[in-house]
Amino acid sequence: MKGQSLTLFGLKTKEVIFDLKDGKISALNVSIYNRGDAGVMSERAFKKQLDDVQDKIQQFAGTKNRPQSQRATMDDSKLRSMLWRTNDSDIVLKWSISKDLPEYINIDFYRPGESPKDLKSGIKTTVASSALPSLVKHESDGSNYMLIPMVDQGAKGYCVAATVERILRYYGSNIDQHVIATLAKSDAQKGTNINKIIDVLESNSGKLGIRFKPLYRYELDNYDDLKKMIKYYNAAARREKADKIDLDDYISNRRFDFGRMMKSMNFKVFKEVRARETRDNKLFLEEIKKSIDNGIPLCWSTFIFPSLKDTSSNEFGMHMRIITGYNSKTGEIIFSDSWGAGHEKKTLKDSDAWAITVNLVSLEPRRR
């Protein structure tokens, strides 16, 4: 749920998330401030708001109820929290300042005695990989998939942070996208650099309790790769009687506009170019089947082509989503976008999914 009309202790909220277990609310996460939704706040104003929130919780918990301070460090980000235990609930106040830049103030509510024992254990996965295959659903129509906890990234460019949060929550972590965004230096407008999140996940795999494994990366990083792709594209365009691409048309002031070039492409033609990569395409589908059968969802970084209609965007872009299943009967992959209700279980033809694939990454629990 999102909306400025929601308040807690008389304080305006930025985001409210309910966790359900057996049809009942098991936890409640409230964002009082986060840089992605609210923009940059001065350190002085942040500390004042933090003190105000702490005072409100202390009054609610009782003046004699002394909180337990907790802390953790990941990369150069300092994560802090305070825990109050009451007869009705456990209340956890969490905040972070990264290099003097305020990041977030969150309040978590749990059933009495059910909060993580400390901040470090709270962000670590708790599920063993051996328990995951039993979570895969097998439908009569041929669908094999998992249901991954939904997180709505909202209007901010946190698709990477939200994707990682959802997968880690599926594994029992209570980490949220604001922590991930802090670690990955995410920008609310520009999003997250995929290489940065890869570095973060690799360097913090032990603290997060995960094994990180890159499965595929579309190599289109230099001018030679680009020229080769355009050569194949123009050959296919000639066969399809479509417009060709001239790289010089997308260079201005010695800067190459990759997004404008990709937006001008005919998706059917680009799909034909990607179909040439038969070996990688086959391995891509095999990795999906193997991972899903083992209950492992996959981080899936893709191109967004407006003509494909898999999103509502009218612009070319990059996006991260989660592959949650497959259907061999229909030749489809099953995936989820972090956009809230209605985006839990979606499908694309295998050939379309392969054509837009940029990165495929596996995160799985370290516990066997």
Side-chain angles (χ1 to χ4, degrees):
M1 296 176 61
K2 294 181 181 292
Q4 294 291 345
S5 60
L6 293 176
T7 62
L8 176 68
F9 304 139
L11 302 167
K12 291 183 178 180
T13 65
K14 295 298 179 185
E15 181 179 72
V16 179
I17 299 174
F18 297 91
D19 286 347
L20 300 177
K21 185 177 181 180
D22 301 325
K24 297 181 179 179
I25 297 176
S26 60
L28 175 66
N29 173 266
V30 181
S31 174
I32 300 299
Y33 165 77
N34 69 78
R35 182 166 54 85
D37 284 319
V40 175
M41 178 185 286
S42 71
E43 187 174 1
R44 182 178 179 180
F46 180 83
K47 288 182 176 179
K48 184 179 184 302
Q49 184 165 38
L50 180 61
D51 289 341
D52 189 24
V53 173
Q54 184 176 334
D55 288 343
K56 297 282 189 183
I57 298 176
Q58 188 66 67
Q59 292 173 25
F60 179 80
T63 56
K64 295 183 179 181
N65 188 333
R66 295 294 91 189
Q68 174 188 346
S69 295
Q70 305 172 337
R71 60 182 57 201
T73 300
M74 300 179 72
D75 287 357
D76 58 359
S77 297
K78 297 178 180 179
L79 313 181
R80 300 290 183 261
S81 74
M82 299 179 77
L83 166 63
W84 289 261
R85 296 189 187 277
T86 73
N87 292 330
D88 298 319
S89 62
D90 290 354
I91 308 171
V92 183
L93 171 63
K94 301 188 296 186
W95 70 94
S96 176
I97 297 180
S98 177
K99 287 187 176 180
D100 298 327
L101 182 66
E103 294 289 348
Y104 59 84
I105 299 174
N106 288 352
I107 307 174
D108 292 343
F109 293 85
Y110 298 90
R111 294 172 182 170
E114 294 189 4
S115 63
K117 66 178 182 179
D118 56 53
L119 192 56
K120 290 182 180 180
S121 63
I123 63 178
K124 202 165 188 176
T125 60
T126 59
V127 174
S129 57
S130 58
L132 296 175
S134 64
L135 301 179
V136 181
K137 297 180 179 294
H138 305 282
E139 305 288 359
S140 59
D141 66 353
S143 297
N144 304 276
Y145 65 97
M146 298 90 66
L147 292 175
I148 308 300
M150 176 52 75
V151 171
D152 190 342
Q153 70 183 73
K156 53 191 176 296
Y158 276 15
C159 61
V160 174
T163 292
V164 173
E165 175 188 347
R166 294 178 64 193
I167 291 178
L168 293 184
R169 283 189 178 275
Y170 170 70
Y171 294 148
S173 166
N174 76 338
I175 200 167
D176 63 50
Q177 62 181 305
H178 306 299
V179 176
I180 298 296
T182 298
L183 298 173
K185 308 295 188 293
S186 299
D187 184 282
Q189 281 72 47
K190 298 178 181 178
T192 304
N193 184 297
I194 186 66
N195 294 323
K196 178 61 180 175
I197 194 65
I198 285 174
D199 290 343
V200 166
L201 294 173
E202 284 186 311
S203 62
N204 292 284
S205 60
K207 293 179 180 179
L208 294 172
I210 58 171
R211 296 181 187 277
F212 172 87
K213 184 180 179 182
L215 301 176
Y216 174 77
R217 182 168 181 246
Y218 184 33
E219 299 290 348
L220 202 60
D221 296 333
N222 57 59
Y223 200 62
D224 287 339
D225 290 338
L226 197 56
K227 285 197 298 183
K228 185 177 179 181
M229 186 271 283
I230 294 301
K231 175 184 175 182
Y232 293 136
Y233 179 91
N234 286 338
R238 185 167 54 251
R239 291 191 295 273
E240 295 291 337
K241 294 182 172 53
D243 292 336
K244 296 181 181 180
I245 295 291
D246 186 338
L247 290 177
D248 291 339
D249 292 340
Y250 304 95
I251 298 175
S252 177
N253 296 323
R254 297 184 180 180
R255 295 179 64 89
F256 179 70
D257 193 334
F258 179 78
R260 187 163 65 90
M261 182 200 73
M262 294 296 288
K263 183 180 180 180
S264 68
M265 284 189 169
N266 181 303
F267 177 70
K268 182 180 179 181
V269 175
F270 183 73
K271 179 176 169 181
E272 185 176 331
V273 173
R274 294 303 308 273
R276 292 173 53 90
E277 305 165 59
T278 54
R279 180 177 178 276
D280 284 343
N281 189 351
K282 180 181 178 182
L283 291 175
F284 169 75
L285 297 174
E286 289 176 350
E287 287 285 4
I288 291 174
K289 186 177 187 304
K290 181 174 69 174
S291 295
I292 299 306
D293 289 346
N294 286 319
I296 306 293
L298 297 171
C299 297
W300 183 37
S301 176
T302 72
F303 292 129
I304 294 295
F305 283 91
S307 60
L308 186 55
K309 305 299 183 185
D310 58 326
T311 74
S312 59
S313 176
N314 292 319
E315 297 294 328
F316 172 83
M318 301 279 286
H319 181 46
M320 181 169 277
R321 55 239 306 206
I322 306 174
I323 292 183
T324 59
Y326 68 91
N327 188 324
S328 296
K329 289 185 179 179
T330 60
E332 295 174 320
I333 63 108
I334 300 170
F335 68 99
S336 175
D337 286 310
S338 302
W339 295 329
H343 298 279
E344 300 88 346
K345 184 172 179 278
K346 303 157 79 172
T347 61
L348 264 182
K349 287 293 184 182
D350 290 345
S351 55
D352 288 342
W354 168 247
I356 63 175
T357 295
V358 180
N359 285 277
L360 191 67
V361 172
S362 171
L363 306 178
E364 58 182 273
R366 295 176 74 89
R367 291 178 58 203
R368 299 294 186 182

